[in-house]
Amino acid sequence: MVSLSLPGIIDAHVHLRDPGATHKEDAYSGTVAALAGGIIGVLDMPNNTPPTVDRRTFLQKREILKRKAVSDYGLFLGYDGRSIAPLLELSGQAVGLKLYLDETFGDLTTEEPESLASAFEAWPGPGPIAVHVEDAAQPPESDSIDVALTLAHRYDQPLHVCHVPHPDDLLRIERARQQGVRVTCEVTPHHLFLSTNDLPRLGAYGQMKPPLISPADVARFWQRLDLVDIIATDHAPHTRAEKESTDPPPGVPGLETMLPLLLRAVDEERLTLERMLELTYHNPLQIYGLRPPEDSGVEVEMGARYRLPAGGYQTRCGWSPFAGQWAMGRVLRVRLRGQVVWEEGRVLVQPGYGRALARG
Ligand SMILES: [Zn+2]
């Protein structure tokens, strides 16, 4: 059997749900799922309960990761529109500042233009400002991507647009780049491998923010992948019971399925292996200014194509919206800082082996 050696994946967008919703996932189960998916480092978002927006909540979360993580990690700082002080005090310890310009899961939305502007003005870096924006239902001038691009331009802040909602937005981001805005962007596997065609079958299991797009728009994302900097999972687990409730929360898991889906796309020659590693390893490290963990890598067994299973995942939520999709490659072994941490479906290190990714 042919095996493939990769440097490992850095997933720049995950929600490990710890603290606040550990029945969905916690820092241990989430980082085990990461290793199972060939991911050696995850960047965790701040919309926890309580949100990671000040010294107390940031240090509490860092302590949780330090105790439980088995992959490496970085933490985003959030901003709740109240105090600027934590942005100044904690910026060097966070991988970046995450701003929610549109409502999503959790209660951390900053829509007021003034507090948004003050965050863009105050953020001292070195990480970028990462934004959650939804597609424009309104005229372009009131749309949140434009708001973010304008503020990044005005305050000369590096901006990262998370999970770009629609291929048209890629073109707007590209125009902003041409005007000198320092902006990078990411797309998710669910916007590349699922579409609105899957919604009748998936129901609430296909609901996330931003929502799935049409097959034609998915094809346009693939055509303009040259404008994309990062592919990140936006791993956002919810239990089956929650998804089957009358008010299902948005979000899908993705840590264990991104690499095999992308390797299938490589096999189909929709992107090269080199480009896949740019999007999932080199660029995330570079954009967030992080150093790759030394002596680390992932060995993938490349056999025949197979269909992703409906169960048997490490993520606590236990399901995948990609079940049934064709995939390539199985993660055989993961080495992290000189140690084999994952082999043949088992974690080989204790909770707490994972470390904060160092600044490059
Ligand atoms: Zn997210």
Side-chain angles (χ1 to χ4, degrees), residues 13-15 45 47 98 100 104 132 162-163 186 209 234-236:
H13 190 144
V14 307
H15 301 265
M45 290 296 169
N47 60 334
K98 177 71 183 289
Y100 291 84
T104 183
H132 177 117
C162 296
H163 43 51
E186 97 201 3
K209 287 194 162 211
D234 193 10
H235 177 80

Side-chain angles (χ1 to χ4, degrees), residues 242-255:
E242 288 163 338
K243 280 295 197 185
E244 284 165 21
S245 72
T246 49
D247 186 20
V252 295
L255 284 167

Side-chain angles (χ1 to χ4, degrees), residues 74-145:
L75 301 185
F76 280 90
L77 182 64
Y79 175 57
D80 58 6
R82 278 179 281 208
S83 173
I84 292 287
L87 310 188
L88 308 176
E89 185 198 355
L90 298 165
S91 72
Q93 298 170 60
V95 292
L97 174 68
K98 177 71 183 289
L99 296 177
Y100 291 84
L101 275 65
D102 293 281
E103 218 157 305
T104 183
F105 180 72
D107 184 23
L108 191 55
T109 309
T110 316
E111 284 162 325
E112 303 77 18
E114 277 144 55
S115 64
L116 266 183
S118 59
F120 272 86
E121 188 176 15
W123 178 247
I129 295 181
V131 290
H132 177 117
V133 290
E134 300 267 329
D135 203 28
Q138 310 103 327
E141 60 268 23
S142 63
D143 156 284
S144 53
I145 293 190

Side-chain angles (χ1 to χ4, degrees), residues 4 16 18 107 112 120 146 256 314 354:
L4 181 68
L16 296 183
D18 199 350
D107 184 23
E112 303 77 18
F120 272 86
D146 277 336
E256 292 158 87
Q314 300 292 328

Side-chain angles (χ1 to χ4, degrees), residues 62-69 73 351-353:
R62 197 167 64 181
E63 195 50 40
I64 290 169
L65 269 290
K66 198 176 165 194
R67 204 156 35 82
K68 295 188 183 176
Y73 54 85
Y353 182 79

